[in-house]
Amino acid sequence: MSNAPDLPRHRELGLTDSEFELIVEKLGREPNAVELAMFSLLWSEHCAYKHSRKLLRRLPTEGPRVVMGPGENAGAVDVGSGYAVAFKVESHNHPSAVEPFQGAATGVGGILRDVFAIGARPIAVLDSLRFGELDSVRSRHLLDGAVRGIGHYGNSIGVPTVGGEIYFEEPYEHNCLVNAMCIGFAKTAAMVRAAAAGVGNAVVLMGATTGRDGIGGASVLASAELGEGDEAKRPTVQVGDPFEESKLLECCLELLEKGLLVSLQDLGAAGLTSSAGEMASAGGVGIDIDVAKVPLREADMEPFEVMVSESQERMLAVVEPGQVAAVRAICDKWQTGAAEIGVVTDTRHIRILKGGAVVGDMPVEALVDGCPLYDLDPAAPEAWIYGNRETLAPSADSAATLLALLSAPSIASKQWVFQQYDAIVGSRTVRRPEAADAAVLALPEAGNAIAVSIDGNGRKVACEPFNGTVEAVLECAQNLACVGAEPLGLTNCLNFGNPEKPVPAWQLDRSVSGLAAACEALDVPVVGGNVSLYNEGPDGPIYPTPVVGMVGELPDPARTAPSSFAQAGDAIGLFGPFSPTLFGSELAKQRGELAMGLPEPDVAAVAAACRAVRDAVRAGRLASAHDVSDGGLATALAECSIGAGLGCRADLQDLREEGCTPEEALFGEGPGGFVLSGERAELETLGARVIGEVGGTTIELAAGDRSLIVGLTDATEAWRSLDARAESVAEPPADA
Amino acid sequence: MIWGVLQFPGSCDERDALHACEVVGGEARLIWHGERDLGGVDAIVIPGGFSYGDYLRAGAIARFSPAMEAVAEHAAAGGPVLGICNGFQVLCEAGLLPGALLRNEELRFICKQADLVDGEGQTLSIPIKHGEGRYYAPEEMLDALEARGQVAYRYADGHNANGSVRDIAGVRNERGNVVGLMPHPEHAVDPLTGSTDGRQVFEALERLAA
């Protein structure tokens, strides 16, 4: 790494002078090299949440269905019959920007470990990805690498990738986002927490050996902006081994099933330092670790390297001394490592030993909870701080506009991506990717099913962080409603720029408030989450991107509506409090007219519409249900037609009577709208406005002087056009 | 009818295969790769997944397991064996089936529903999901396989997504009791999660055991 030669060591590790002074004060002396390395990691933004923790206190975290909330490896909600569903989303943005294949692969590996650490078997993965525009060579390189990496890990380990979303926007050009969400399934009574307990119990490191890979990942990569010389950071990216994780997963689940572990924690960012620290902190105990007992890949590793290594596929367990032999036997069966590297103590200190010598000794409280929490200094921007690029002439007619929207990489079918993922292993996948608005997974053990959606349109959050974040939550809720699911809980990954700068600070502050407000209004608790800050490139921050993952329950997996129309002759209904505008829309983007501002959604009205759609789907009264999202009503209708291979005719006059311009009626966006199809009488009973009929080989939309007719073949070709464009993968750009 | 489903480190679809066997009928149990004794099962299923991470070459390590020695004996005695995806690769590596599986023509993993045609000309809708599923054998061997009726399943027109020679999706041994295919019939036994056409693949094996 290129550092100024005279930089003090603590600054090189990312600590400020005042933070260093605070460490000296808490220790009563200067930290040695081992201690400084450990403090620098646990006091990094990535581990300590020092710029976000105060904001996160605004989020509602309690509810009758919550089994585990924030603070555990993953959150979990009750799905009945003694079962729980665990879930969490996490980012691996900076590693993926530096090395997309391994960055994305280890992102999946890490989130899987979070879920099986609490004793839940991973049953599905979803991904939320953001890249620069698809016409950029760098973006295609990152897309290709990230997709291959996700597939490599998820496919090999036998966990299906059942959904996700991808946006291509200029502000992510130098700082892509790779967020992975994992869903796990467990018997509620068998779930395990991460708190170390039982003085004298053994601390056992399981799984892979420890090497020099990923040293400093949390502080160097995850807690600072990307910039010049990032290729020198490649060694800080970890390398994934899904086979090792597959064995470790099965091994851990067998150990937990046999009741052989007191507690379990995965090793993620900051490796042993963070897992041992967090286990000791949660349990109110101390832990002694002997680095000489840690199985190493390279013999000459320094104690600090052992403590901060981010080698993948490792878990830390607390085991009663009498059970260590039984634990070893099961680890042997699964051909995975098991080393007794330490002991639980009553000292409330983390002590690092090498052989007999103490090489580090820190109070747990100072190490894990001692990092100062900062207030933000937010300031709203005076105007749109991101760029605008016109790619569609304002004079384009409606038909050309619809085709341009359908072929927009953020809207077009992502079949090219989803086909590279195993979506069906586990035999739970009722709705495969792009077949419905949300993924649906059957839970035959509990006699019901869950639906999962992940969303977060950063462009809208950039327009207005509060309202944009509310829209992200509503989008998830609407997706769940379309398959008949009731929301149970929410997880999130807050991807933002540098919180020490006023505008990203304002975005973060407003966004968290919007998230809290939407969750309160929908009565959906936040059961966990992750924060990724310092996402900036040379041109400034990324779009503020709160990625929301929502899990819902539905009683009967056979009663879930597809998103596409079902049969010719069905009536088409528009339902919900839909007031489309062009603010932050895909059309505004293509015209280069993005600006600040986004209308405030009526959350209560959208929630009521969601309940009505959910009940109608559950009752089997609808043939299809799709929410109106990016590209507006015209795009939603076209998507319903393309998926079915059936045309449609619709008259958008009703919207115009409510004050929409023809263009807003066709292409305007906003929450609350559903496109439903089925028998006319059913739609009318529900209160939907019947706007047209399914059938024919064209999409015909009447909207006054902006009416359009597009052939189904042309629409399909536009919507499927991503395959060919994404495939033209070039070599990585010369400077990456 | 007792089905035995092998499990190697890195197997992925063993629980799906167990479930499929139960749907088709009978009892199904997992057999750990270290077992030398198959415990008297009537038919063996070698499931999909990434045994030993598919490191070295898909199926190349699993074939040396004690359970595979027992499977070879079971096959030699005329017992039915079904290898699915990675299980097909293991059977080819073990020499129990002819040919080899290479990386997909497009060099990408692919997961999608595909139409297969079986020996009787019936079309079955069964998903594929693999990165190394391109069936290959030399021309003379292919001619011999065709002549002896050893091509068990072919991809229907337009459904050969991996570039397999002569659209071959699955083959059987000369005796007909060992069958391997890349598509996943265990993921096609329930209308809720796809189709039910995969049951026919298991039922064909069941008939062999009778």
Side-chain angles (χ1 to χ4, degrees):
Chain A
M1 269 162 275
S2 56
N3 289 298
D6 298 328
L7 206 59
R9 181 70 183 147
H10 66 266
R11 272 201 230 162
E12 211 174 292
L13 292 172
L15 291 169
T16 65
D17 292 348
S18 67
E19 285 168 350
F20 180 74
E21 281 159 24
L22 190 59
I23 291 168
V24 173
E25 187 189 314
K26 284 181 184 284
L27 287 181
R29 59 180 166 78
E30 293 225 341
N32 65 26
V34 176
E35 293 160 344
L36 185 62
M38 292 173 66
F39 269 103
S40 77
L41 284 168
L42 285 191
W43 285 29
S44 69
E45 182 61 45
H46 193 72
C47 293
Y49 291 73
K50 53 193 174 189
H51 288 96
S52 62
R53 185 161 290 185
K54 289 187 175 182
L55 301 182
L56 298 176
R57 291 176 186 149
R58 296 175 191 163
L59 302 175
T61 57
E62 284 171 14
R65 306 287 287 267
V66 176
V67 176
M68 277 191 191
E72 293 296 334
N73 280 303
V77 293
D78 180 13
V79 290
S81 310
Y83 289 93
V85 164
F87 54 98
K88 190 178 186 187
V89 59
E90 243 181 24
S91 64
H92 230 209
N93 302 335
H94 286 179
S96 302
V98 175
E99 209 296 281
F101 181 92
Q102 290 296 347
T106 54
V108 173
I111 197 68
L112 290 170
R113 284 195 301 283
D114 276 327
V115 164
F116 71 78
I118 63 169
R121 174 176 288 279
I123 58 169
V125 167
L126 296 92
D127 310 287
S128 182
L129 310 179
R130 302 288 182 279
F131 304 100
E133 294 292 347
L134 192 61
D135 55 14
S136 132
V137 173
R138 180 199 303 270
S139 294
R140 292 200 300 276
H141 161 69
L142 292 173
L143 169 71
D144 181 58
V147 169
R148 282 182 191 273
I150 289 165
H152 168 68
Y153 215 103
N155 297 343
S156 315
I157 204 165
V159 178
T161 299
V162 298
E165 37 120 49
I166 310 179
Y167 282 92
F168 300 88
E169 307 273 8
E170 183 70 29
Y172 303 110
E173 170 77 15
H174 291 274
N175 194 131
C176 63
L177 301 184
V178 172
N179 289 187
M181 175 176 178
C182 179
I183 318 293
F185 185 58
K187 280 185 186 154
T188 310
M191 292 170 72
V192 63
R193 293 182 185 267
V199 172
N201 280 344
V203 175
V204 177
L205 178 62
M206 301 187 293
T209 50
T210 298
R212 286 198 168 97
D213 49 324
I215 285 182
S219 54
V220 176
L221 274 180
S223 302
E225 293 174 23
L226 291 168
E228 294 299 313
D230 284 337
E231 61 276 29
K233 294 176 185 164
R234 252 177 222 158
T236 60
V237 177
Q238 314 85 342
V239 176
D241 179 351
F243 174 53
E244 188 63 47
E245 180 129 320
S246 160
K247 295 185 297 182
L248 187 59
L249 184 165
E250 297 297 341
C251 179
C252 286
L253 291 180
E254 186 171 340
L255 289 167
L256 288 169
E257 194 186 310
K258 295 193 164 143
L260 293 172
L261 306 181
V262 175
S263 59
L264 184 63
Q265 165 91 20
D266 84 303
L267 275 77
L272 267 176
T273 293
S274 116
S275 54
E278 284 169 16
M279 284 180 108
S281 169
V285 293
I287 287 180
D288 282 0
I289 285 179
D290 187 346
V291 293
K293 292 182 176 166
V294 175
L296 302 178
R297 287 176 201 170
E298 296 164 88
D300 60 343
M301 285 175 68
E302 296 290 328
F304 91 87
E305 292 179 310
V306 176
M307 288 309 298
V308 305
S309 160
E310 293 186 3
S311 288
Q312 298 289 291
E313 292 89 26
R314 298 181 299 160
M315 301 288 284
L316 199 62
V318 172
V319 181
E320 287 175 12
Q323 304 283 20
V324 171
V327 168
R328 277 187 195 284
I330 289 173
C331 289
D332 284 349
K333 173 189 162 187
W334 286 103
Q335 301 175 11
T336 192
E340 201 179 330
I341 64 164
V343 62
V344 177
T345 67
D346 62 2
T347 59
R348 306 199 67 166
H349 275 233
I350 296 283
R351 288 204 312 165
I352 311 305
L353 300 98
K354 184 172 186 181
V358 175
V359 295
D361 187 345
M362 297 143 281
V364 172
E365 205 196 334
L367 186 63
V368 179
D369 303 311
C371 179
L373 301 182
Y374 297 110
D375 288 311
L376 302 183
D377 191 11
E382 283 169 15
W384 182 247
I385 61 165
Y386 303 95
N388 258 310
R389 182 161 72 142
E390 184 189 303
T391 56
L392 182 73
S395 59
D397 68 18
S398 291
T401 302
L402 177 58
L403 292 174
L405 293 176
L406 287 172
S407 63
S410 299
I411 290 178
S413 165
K414 310 298 185 298
Q415 178 179 276
W416 178 83
V417 172
F418 286 121
Q419 277 195 355
Q420 298 186 53
Y421 304 146
D422 181 344
I424 58 178
V425 63
S427 300
R428 298 184 186 276
T429 312
V430 176
R431 294 288 178 198
R432 297 183 193 176
E434 295 190 344
D437 276 27
V440 179
L441 297 158
L443 305 176
E445 301 88 338
N448 54 2
I450 53 165
V452 192
S453 177
I454 189 165
D455 259 296
N457 184 335
R459 191 195 319 131
K460 296 212 165 147
V461 183
C463 290
E464 211 300 301
F466 185 99
N467 294 338
T469 305
V470 171
E471 279 201 22
V473 177
L474 293 178
E475 170 80 25
C476 277
Q478 288 189 242
N479 288 340
L480 294 194
C482 286
V483 296
E486 177 184 6
L488 294 181
L490 179 149
T491 182
N492 65 91
C493 186
L494 303 173
N495 305 273
F496 286 78
N498 183 344
E500 298 164 53
K501 296 180 184 172
V503 170
W506 174 80
Q507 293 171 329
L508 178 61
D509 180 78
R510 294 279 297 161
S511 175
V512 172
S513 291
L515 181 61
C519 290
E520 296 274 8
L522 290 171
D523 203 13
V524 180
V526 177
V527 300
N530 177 233
V531 179
S532 171
L533 304 178
Y534 300 95
N535 290 291
E536 305 221 354
D539 305 326
I542 59 162
Y543 277 157
T545 312
V547 167
V548 175
M550 200 184 278
V551 172
E553 179 200 12
L554 56 150
D556 181 359
R559 289 268 179 92
T560 61
S563 52
S564 301
F565 295 138
Q567 59 179 355
D570 274 352
I572 300 170
L574 175 63
F575 184 68
F578 183 54
S579 307
T581 73
L582 293 186
F583 288 104
S585 66
E586 178 68 29
L587 182 57
K589 172 190 170 176
Q590 295 201 9
R591 287 184 176 164
E593 292 173 353
L594 292 171
M596 293 301 289
L598 193 69
E600 185 182 344
D602 182 345
V603 182
V606 178
C610 285
R611 282 192 295 273
V613 170
R614 177 207 313 159
D615 291 344
V617 169
R618 287 181 176 188
R621 288 163 53 199
L622 300 175
S624 75
H626 184 33
D627 82 314
V628 181
S629 179
D630 303 335
L633 185 53
T635 301
L637 289 162
E639 287 168 344
C640 293
S641 275
I642 294 165
L646 294 165
C648 67
R649 277 185 299 107
D651 185 345
L652 310 189
Q653 187 61 33
D654 279 4
L655 281 170
R656 296 184 53 209
E657 280 166 14
E658 287 169 21
C660 289
T661 65
E663 200 161 72
E664 286 167 339
L666 285 168
F667 307 118
E669 300 176 14
F674 291 90
V675 171
L676 311 174
S677 76
E679 285 180 25
R680 188 182 184 99
E682 293 284 13
L683 295 178
E684 282 170 350
T685 307
L686 185 64
R689 290 171 283 190
V690 173
I691 58 168
E693 192 178 297
V694 178
T697 57
T698 57
I699 295 160
E700 293 184 39
L701 305 179
D705 59 353
R706 297 299 313 259
S707 296
L708 66 84
I709 301 180
V710 170
L712 187 56
T713 315
D714 292 340
T716 305
E717 204 170 279
W719 192 64
R720 295 272 180 219
S721 64
L722 192 69
D723 297 32
R725 286 182 288 161
E727 195 67 69
S728 61
V729 171
E731 289 300 303
D735 63 336
Chain B
M1 179 79 183
I2 304 175
W3 305 83
V5 178
L6 295 200
Q7 185 179 21
F8 303 100
S11 291
C12 295
D13 302 273
E14 72 281 1
R15 282 178 295 274
D16 309 84
L18 276 180
H19 171 67
C21 292
E22 284 163 0
V23 166
V24 171
E27 181 195 336
R29 39 173 104 135
L30 276 182
I31 298 175
W32 187 242
H33 66 104
E35 297 287 336
R36 184 60 181 77
D37 184 349
L38 299 178
V41 299
D42 300 304
I44 289 289
V45 177
I46 310 177
F50 289 72
S51 59
Y52 296 94
D54 273 1
Y55 299 155
L56 185 58
R57 204 169 57 236
I61 302 176
R63 64 154 292 205
F64 291 107
S65 64
M68 278 307 296
E69 288 177 27
V71 168
E73 289 165 10
H74 171 84
V81 179
L82 175 66
I84 302 167
C85 192
N86 195 234
F88 185 18
Q89 294 161 339
V90 172
L91 289 171
C92 289
E93 287 287 339
L96 294 174
L97 286 174
L101 284 311
L102 309 179
R103 285 196 72 189
N104 295 350
E105 204 165 47
E106 305 268 336
L107 303 181
R108 288 183 188 278
F109 186 96
I110 186 154
C111 173
K112 65 194 287 194
Q113 201 72 17
D115 282 353
L116 309 184
V117 181
D118 70 7
E120 279 90 55
Q122 286 191 95
T123 301
L124 310 177
S125 174
I126 293 180
I128 59 166
K129 53 183 188 85
H130 54 246
E132 298 182 40
R134 177 160 55 102
Y135 186 76
Y136 174 80
E139 283 296 314
E140 317 81 76
M141 188 189 276
L142 290 169
D143 291 340
L145 292 178
E146 305 244 24
R148 291 194 292 260
Q150 282 181 252
V151 175
Y153 300 97
R154 277 184 220 273
Y155 299 105
D157 272 355
H159 289 256
N160 180 355
N162 55 36
S164 291
V165 288
R166 303 191 191 182
D167 297 331
I168 292 174
V171 297
R172 57 172 74 88
N173 64 353
E174 219 173 318
R175 190 167 172 177
N177 63 318
V178 179
V179 180
L181 76 168
M182 284 313 295
H184 285 264
E186 82 280 23
H187 288 291
V189 297
D190 185 345
L192 189 64
T193 51
S195 69
T196 56
D197 292 354
R199 292 182 190 179
Q200 295 185 40
V201 175
F202 287 88
E203 283 159 3
L205 200 73
E206 200 177 20
R207 286 193 293 276
L208 285 173

